[in-house]
Every structure is written in structure tokens, then in C-alpha cells.
Amino acid sequence: MKLTDATLRNLKDPGKHFDGGGLYLELTPAGGRYWRMKYRHGGKEKRLAFGVYPAIGLKEARERAAEARKALDAGDDPGELRKTAKAKEAHDHANTLEAVALDWIAHQSSRWSDDHRERIKGSLAADIFPKLGGRPLASIKPGEVMAAVKAVEKRGAGDTAGRILQRIKAVYRWAVTHERIEANPMLDLMPAEILKPRQLRHRAAMPDKELPDFLPRLDTYDGDPGTVLALRLLMLTATRPGEVRGARWAEFDLEGALWTIPPERMKMKVEHRVPLSRQALEVLKAAQALSAGRDLVFPSPYYQGKDQPLSENTFNSAIARMGYKGTATAHGFRALFSTVANECGMNPDVIERQLAHKEKNEIRAAYHRSQYMQDRTRLMQWWADYLDGRKAGNVVPFTQRAA
């Protein structure tokens, strides 16, 4: 006799209560009520579990049993189909775009600086994860990625849109390599065929003629004193903004006038030694009073007591407030240093080594690691004196090329 809702509500005898077609409800001595289905496949008797009554009612249990019988009629084992479906569900949950992208970022982190890693993670978190991050990689269509990056472009961030597209493609390539997805559906997404052509724009660099105006403005800037000191050190050392913002006192030998930046904080993942001029040492001594014993040389003024560096936008915001928005950037001071030093006849190899640019020639690279410290020490003192001269409105010539 088939089961009814009334029968199910009033069951008291433990055991199997059949509904037909292999479906039954098992009542345990402890009072548990479990839907089961008995079937045969490949000559073996097997069972399926459909859930607990009354969460799964009679109607739903019959529907699940009917689906299982359809699978049997087609020659499939409904139990194995369920295992496959559960495995796929678990795989999809572990291989969403966000999960795989974060694994890719972690895998690549040893090749990137901390700032670069956070920029990549931040761009995906802002523009991709909210829309597509929770979806399994294999379920996302190229058109959806294209729409997401075009939305970034539409708000006037064409460069960012291009970088995000390249990052998504890199995530999918990595996922294929590490068997997180079987094939790469993003292969045919080409930036030139999706995004509008963009003019190549270099970071704005302050020209030398602006120094007599800019340097006094920096001295009288009414913003955070730590930001002023950080900008001075940035100019005096020709380092990258992220290297200055993340500088820690443990990296400095003030007596030896040397700043040793560890590999993990360098773009090329190679230790960089920076000779410190008299002026740079004066900046650092002034910074000691402001850092209040913290590890960071230039801690953020907005996170008192926390080990938080100045934000990525701090330098450029300060430069803009001084009247140089769009005409100068913090990173551009490296170009200014290079231009002036080269025009004044300094040794190009010494300049490039001081800028920590990667030497593609392996023999020259080996030489660069062991040489030039004396030349670079003289170069950086000359550069600091040059900046002092320009602040006073003078030009400090250096007409003979260094050895």
C-alpha cells in the first residue's frame, strides 16, 4: 500500500515503510525518519538517500525517486551520478574566479613587490570580484569578462581596464596549468579588439626648470610633516615611492650612511644599497623624532600606534596640493634625477645602477653587483648639492663625465 501524508504523520513502528518502486521511509528506534530508495544496477543492490522527513515531504521524495528511475532506464547508476554531481559542486566551490585569482596572486607574490601585489588584488576586488568573483571559473563566459572591463573603461580608466583584462587572462592560464579548469575560454579576448586605442602616457616628471619654485614650496608645505620628509628623501635617493613609504629603521645604517632595501621590497627582488648624502641623513634624523619609536620611518598619521605606512596616494596628493597636479608625480622624480645626471655628464652605468634598473646583460649585471658604490656615493652627494643649489636658484654644473 502506498504511503500517505496521514500515514507518515502517525507512523510509530520502527522499520521500512514502502511506497513502491523501491522508495521507502525508514523509521529508526530513536525516531529518525529517512527517505531511501532501493535499486539494482550492474547486478548489485544499492541504495539512495533522499533526506529526512518532514523536511523532505512525500511528494518531493517521489519526484526524486522518479528522477533516479529515469537514470536507471537510461543505463546510468543514479548513485554514481549523485557522487559526480557532488564532486563537481565541491570543485566549483573551490574554483570560483575569486578563489583561483587569490591563489594565483599568492603563487606570484614572490616575484612582486608588496605594493604591486596589493594593486593587483585591489583592482580585481574593486571591479571584478563583486560581479564575477563568486562564480565558478568554467561558468563565466568571455562576454561577461568583456562587459566588466568595458565598464571600467567607460568611467575613463582605460589603462586600468587593459591591466585588469590581462590579469584575468593570466588567472585563467594559471588555472589551466594547475588543473583548476580544463580549458581556457578567455584565450581569444584581445585588448586591442575590446578596448579603445590608448595613447602611451608616462608618469609626469617635473622638469629641472621647476625645481627653484617647487623646492621652497615643499619646505613650506602645511601638510603632514612626515610626508614632507618622505618626499625629500624620495628626491634625494631617487628611489621608488613604495620603497620610501615602506622604509623601516632596521634598513638604515646612519653611521655608515647606507640604506639597504631588502629584496622583498624591490621591484626586481634584488637587494638594493642606497648611499646616503649629508642631506638625506639630516632628513632621517628629523624623521626619527616623528616616527615615535615605530619600525616604519614614515608611519601614516591616520593610524596612530599602528604599523601602517603612508598610503599609495599620499605623495601625489601632496604634490597636487602644491600646484603640480598633472605636471609632476612622485615616481617622476626618478626621471628628473636621471635626466639631470645624464645631461651633467655622469656615468650612465652608475646612474642606472643607482636607479636599480635591471641589467639584461648577465656579465654586466654581475659587475654591477660588486662595483660603483664609491661612484654612486659621489653621485648622490652631488645630486643633493645640486638640489640645494636649485632651491637657491643656482645651477650646479658637472661637465666632466665620471669614470
Side-chain angles (χ1 to χ4, degrees):
M1 181 182 295
K2 285 185 174 292
L3 297 173
T4 65
D5 287 323
T7 302
L8 292 170
R9 285 194 299 270
N10 296 302
L11 281 179
K12 295 181 180 179
D13 297 331
K16 299 174 183 177
H17 301 270
F18 288 89
D19 185 63
L23 178 65
Y24 63 92
L25 185 127
E26 184 173 358
L27 178 60
T28 69
R33 302 177 180 221
Y34 302 97
W35 288 112
R36 306 276 193 251
M37 177 179 167
K38 183 169 62 175
Y39 69 98
R40 296 187 70 84
H41 186 270
K44 295 181 180 179
E45 184 175 293
K46 298 185 176 185
R47 282 174 175 77
L48 278 176
F50 291 150
V52 180
Y53 178 86
I56 303 296
L58 178 59
K59 180 180 178 182
E60 186 174 351
R62 285 172 174 170
E63 289 172 351
R64 295 188 180 189
E67 290 176 5
R69 285 191 288 270
K70 286 182 181 178
L72 285 167
D73 291 342
D76 296 320
D77 183 340
E80 292 302 316
L81 290 178
R82 176 179 289 186
K83 289 179 182 178
T84 301
K86 285 185 176 179
K88 182 179 183 302
E89 182 180 355
H91 179 272
D92 287 347
H93 181 73
N95 290 283
T96 62
L97 176 55
E98 181 171 355
V100 175
L102 293 177
D103 287 346
W104 167 71
I105 290 170
H107 183 267
Q108 298 293 102
S109 288
S110 62
R111 299 177 174 87
W112 298 335
S113 67
D114 291 344
D115 281 349
H116 186 59
R117 182 191 66 242
E118 292 307 312
R119 279 195 297 273
I120 290 177
K121 186 187 295 185
S123 69
L124 295 175
D127 294 305
I128 297 300
F129 293 164
K131 301 173 184 176
L132 302 172
R135 298 259 304 277
L137 280 181
S139 74
I140 300 172
K141 294 179 170 50
E144 294 176 287
V145 171
M146 183 171 68
V149 297
K150 285 183 75 66
V152 177
E153 180 189 47
K154 189 175 181 179
R155 69 169 188 252
D159 289 339
T160 300
R163 287 192 289 269
I164 287 176
L165 178 57
Q166 296 292 10
R167 288 162 187 169
I168 294 173
K169 293 185 67 175
V171 169
Y172 271 86
R173 284 197 305 272
W174 185 84
V176 171
T177 300
H178 292 270
E179 298 183 346
R180 308 286 288 271
I181 189 174
E182 290 185 1
N184 185 353
M186 306 302 164
L187 278 175
D188 293 332
L189 288 183
M190 306 303 293
E193 296 174 356
I194 297 171
L195 304 171
K196 297 175 182 177
R198 305 188 307 278
Q199 289 186 338
L200 180 62
R201 292 183 299 173
H202 297 283
R203 295 181 178 94
M206 179 177 293
D208 176 68
K209 66 181 181 180
E210 294 288 346
L211 285 175
D213 178 69
F214 173 77
L215 292 169
R217 289 195 190 191
L218 180 60
D219 285 345
T220 58
Y221 178 62
D222 61 357
D224 170 52
T227 300
V228 174
L229 292 173
L231 278 169
R232 284 179 180 161
L233 188 68
L234 181 73
M235 296 186 72
L236 288 165
T237 57
T239 48
R240 297 179 178 89
E243 294 157 11
V244 171
R245 290 190 303 103
R248 295 183 176 274
W249 287 114
E251 299 170 1
F252 290 89
D253 176 3
L254 298 184
E255 290 187 6
L258 186 67
W259 176 17
T260 304
I261 308 176
E264 61 270 20
R265 292 212 311 108
M266 292 299 298
K267 182 178 180 180
M268 299 302 173
K269 297 301 180 184
V270 176
E271 179 185 277
H272 184 46
R273 303 170 71 198
V274 182
L276 298 171
S277 62
R278 293 189 306 275
Q279 293 88 332
L281 289 172
E282 290 172 3
V283 168
L284 289 165
K285 289 173 183 176
Q288 282 181 318
L290 294 177
S291 66
R294 281 178 277 184
D295 291 337
L296 285 165
V297 179
F298 302 109
S300 170
Y302 302 107
Y303 296 90
Q304 294 294 331
K306 294 185 179 180
D307 195 34
Q308 185 75 25
L310 295 172
S311 73
E312 187 176 352
N313 296 323
T314 298
F315 290 158
N316 287 338
S317 295
I319 292 169
R321 284 186 61 190
M322 284 183 266
Y324 295 89
K325 184 176 182 179
T327 61
T329 61
H331 197 280
F333 288 130
R334 287 166 56 82
L336 171 63
F337 161 75
S338 178
T339 298
V340 172
N342 275 289
E343 288 181 350
C344 288
M346 300 301 287
N347 186 330
D349 284 340
V350 176
I351 296 168
E352 290 299 292
R353 188 69 191 96
Q354 181 57 39
L355 290 169
H357 284 161
K358 185 176 181 180
E359 174 57 63
K360 296 181 180 179
N361 183 296
E362 293 184 3
I363 296 177
R364 288 170 62 85
Y367 179 75
H368 287 181
R369 281 195 293 270
S370 60
Q371 301 294 322
Y372 295 148
M373 281 307 297
Q374 290 185 347
D375 290 332
R376 288 166 56 206
T377 300
R378 288 193 293 267
L379 170 65
M380 299 318 291
Q381 187 57 58
W382 168 83
W383 173 240
D385 294 338
Y386 182 93
L387 292 175
D388 283 349
R390 294 302 277 140
K391 183 164 65 174
N394 303 324
V395 174
V396 181
F398 193 98
T399 55
Q400 288 188 337
R401 186 173 296 279

